[in-house]
Amino acid sequence: MARLADAEPVIVPTSISENFLMDPKELLEEIAKIVAKHPRLLVLSDEIYEHIIYEPSKHTSFASLPGMWERTLTVNGFSKAFAMTGWRLGYIAGPKHFVSACNKIQSQSTSGASSISQKAAVAALGLGYAGGEAVATMVKAFRERRDVLVKSFGEIKGVKISEPQGAFYLFIDFSSYYGSVVEGFGEIVDSESLCRYLLDKAQVALVPGVAFGDDTCIRISYAASLPTLQAAVERMKKAIVSLRPAVPV
């Protein structure tokens, strides 16, 4: 999307050992200080998972930091916390002149959210702060699934895994199995070929990490029932047994 807007994306590398957090020297407050030094610099903050976060972690909206309200465009929606993916409704919050400019562009590309979606969004917002009890119950279930999966994948030799503090995905390093050659399939050389192998062998759909800038990892969503997830892990374990022993890490 950045390139479509004639911008050049600059990727900041992170590591699984640091739970994919940016350098401690670049926490939100430090980023805000950098932004403050550059008058034309804006922050686009995607906060779609603000309510799906596990204690003791807390969500901090970037626009709430001192001096950042007028420098921040906050993107959000209803697909995650309210499980309203099919309603296709999101929103942006920011200074009026920026939002007005966004409206001009959007009106020429996609606009006119249906009245039904808007009514559903109003109902979701009416559940109370952070989605009220309904969302809290969902987040509790996500946390339980996370704990089970982190333990299960941690039992696989050579696999590196971090414990997410929010959302409902695991980003797992399976790169120690790259280089394995499977009869009838071929060589597993990267995250894409590993995902194809696990789809063929285990019937588990995963997303290659290369799509997120890290080819050493694969992503699995745990927005499914616990029995389904446990069955998926067992299938993956059996499929991985067919691969060569993992490289010591």
Side-chain angles (χ1 to χ4, degrees):
M1 290 192 293
R3 291 191 178 98
L4 286 173
D6 289 332
E8 182 181 347
V10 178
I11 308 301
V12 178
T14 57
S15 67
I16 196 168
S17 62
E18 295 293 334
N19 210 18
F20 297 107
L21 295 174
M22 296 176 69
D23 189 301
K25 297 178 181 178
E26 294 183 89
L27 296 174
L28 293 183
E29 292 82 359
E30 294 300 318
I31 295 174
K33 291 179 182 177
I34 295 172
V35 174
K37 295 177 181 178
H38 302 275
R40 292 178 57 81
L41 186 60
L42 297 175
V43 173
L44 182 63
S45 183
D46 181 354
E47 301 182 14
I48 193 74
Y49 294 103
E50 65 170 325
H51 299 318
I52 305 179
I53 193 164
Y54 313 125
E55 294 182 349
S57 298
K58 302 291 183 182
H59 171 76
T60 299
S61 179
F62 195 84
S64 70
L65 299 177
M68 291 297 107
W69 184 89
E70 65 275 11
R71 306 287 296 278
T72 306
L73 296 172
T74 304
V75 177
N76 214 317
F78 299 89
S79 63
K80 306 303 180 182
F82 300 105
M84 292 169 54
T85 309
W87 298 91
R88 313 311 299 164
L89 190 66
Y91 56 89
I92 188 171
K96 186 175 181 179
H97 59 291
F98 285 125
V99 175
S100 296
C102 291
N103 286 342
K104 290 181 180 179
I105 295 175
Q106 185 184 25
S107 67
Q108 303 302 318
S109 56
T110 174
S111 60
S114 74
S115 59
I116 298 173
S117 293
Q118 294 182 58
K119 286 286 188 180
V122 170
L125 294 175
L127 292 174
Y129 175 73
E133 184 178 352
V135 173
T137 299
M138 184 174 67
V139 172
K140 181 176 181 291
F142 281 144
R143 182 168 188 160
E144 292 172 350
R145 297 171 193 169
R146 178 204 66 176
D147 292 344
V148 170
L149 291 183
V150 167
K151 181 178 183 297
S152 296
F153 281 114
E155 295 169 350
I156 302 176
K157 184 178 180 181
V159 168
K160 298 177 184 177
I161 185 170
S162 63
E163 186 174 272
Q165 301 306 303
F168 40 77
Y169 309 100
L170 293 182
F171 205 49
I172 313 169
D173 186 337
F174 271 90
S175 60
S176 63
Y177 288 92
Y178 294 176
S180 299
V181 178
V182 183
E183 184 177 354
F185 178 84
E187 185 178 4
I188 295 174
V189 297
D190 52 20
S191 60
E192 191 275 334
S193 56
L194 177 60
C195 285
R196 279 195 295 108
Y197 169 73
L198 290 173
L199 181 62
D200 292 346
K201 185 73 173 179
Q203 290 80 55
V204 176
L206 302 151
V207 182
V210 68
F212 305 97
D214 190 342
D215 200 27
T216 65
C217 296
I218 59 176
R219 191 182 80 161
I220 183 170
S221 167
Y222 49 91
S225 69
L226 187 56
T228 297
L229 294 169
Q230 289 173 316
V233 174
E234 290 308 310
R235 288 182 178 184
M236 289 176 66
K237 285 182 176 180
K238 290 179 181 178
I240 289 170
V241 167
S242 302
L243 305 181
R244 63 166 174 73
V247 174
V249 293

